[in-house]
Amino acid sequence: MKAMVSNAAVLGIFFVSQFGIGFIGNTLLLTLQTNTLLFQRRTKKPIDWIFIHLTLANVMTLLFSGVPEIIHYFGRRHFLDDAGCKAVLYLFRVGRGLSLCTTSLLSMFQAVIITPSNSRCAWLKPRISTCIFPAFLLFWILNMLIYIRVIMNVVAPYNSTQVNQIYSLPYCISEGPCTKKVSPFLGAMVTRDVLCLSLMILTSMYMVRLLFTHRRTVQHVHRTSLCPRASPETKATHTILALVSCFVFFYWTDSCLTIYRNYRHNLHGLENISLFLACSYPSICPFLLIKNNDRRSFLNVHFQKSESSH
């Protein structure tokens, strides 16, 4: 019994640490973005709204996954009824979906912004900013509709009497649905995941290629410099690669574990790993953005000036 209590305490401390780091990072990023929008209006950019929406989605994911998990591992059992389980798991899934969609939008937005003026896609530059808020609305509607199935299936563990159960979280049980009924839900979710991640990867590859081409051009012109420094373009490339790589790794690994758990019941050790992966990107994301976010945007005016001079 003491070993069990000790293990629960260790897991509780672990999730407290992850939640604390992620919450502090997202709060700091949100403060920086809010300060830019309210008090530095001359430097604000449309991409700041995407950062804010991504930060809010990450905070939403951390709150509705980390806090209940911490309460559970510090000894409070069965603290949610059916309505509480439905609300917590639904909002957690919606927040995670919003994080996916917003990261994809961020990648596409940056790709359009750095597109050369002589490109065939250059006509999107003055129009892309007008699509930000309609995209946010679409993301909310889409994810709220996709995860309605969660509300229908999730119950508190002590209220579940069915034998066919899928262990979702330590404090909530997802009762196994009929395959025919769950197919539209899985189809919509998989379609959204594949579309968003594909767009994210393709646009990131395009930006990496464009930024490295620009970097070689600048190095050729300024190769006599005695004190070479990492340019904003190089920092942006590293950030984009890290952001996309982290999201793809954590999201798909968690998705694979979730699918595996759905087919192999009573694997109670995997839900902790799955939750850790689900909360890893929201915890790491703000620090990646803050590190190379000198002017609230990955690609600052220096890039545009360098491009126009050549």
Side-chain angles (χ1 to χ4, degrees), residues 11 17 65 88 90 93-94 117 149 158 195 217 272 281 288:
L11 287 172
S17 301
S65 60
V88 166
Y90 177 74
R93 294 296 181 183
V94 169
S117 302
R149 193 76 202 176
Y158 55 85
L195 178 62
T217 303
N272 294 325
Y281 176 75
L288 292 175

Side-chain angles (χ1 to χ4, degrees), residues 242-309:
L243 199 63
V244 174
S245 298
C246 285
F247 196 99
V248 171
F249 172 77
F250 289 126
Y251 196 90
W252 278 111
T253 305
D254 179 39
S255 298
C256 291
L257 281 177
T258 301
I259 294 173
Y260 182 70
R261 281 165 46 211
N262 288 343
Y263 286 97
R264 296 288 301 273
H265 305 325
N266 299 322
L267 297 176
H268 300 294
L270 290 181
E271 70 274 358
N272 294 325
I273 300 176
S274 180
L275 191 64
F276 166 77
L277 293 171
C279 296
S280 293
Y281 176 75
S283 300
I284 295 174
C285 175
F287 296 101
L288 292 175
L289 294 175
I290 291 171
K291 179 182 178 182
N292 295 311
N293 200 10
D294 297 333
R295 293 195 57 188
R296 275 73 60 184
S297 176
F298 286 133
L299 306 171
N300 56 27
V301 178
H302 175 73
F303 177 83
Q304 298 176 355
K305 288 182 179 179
S306 299
E307 180 183 359
S308 60
S309 63

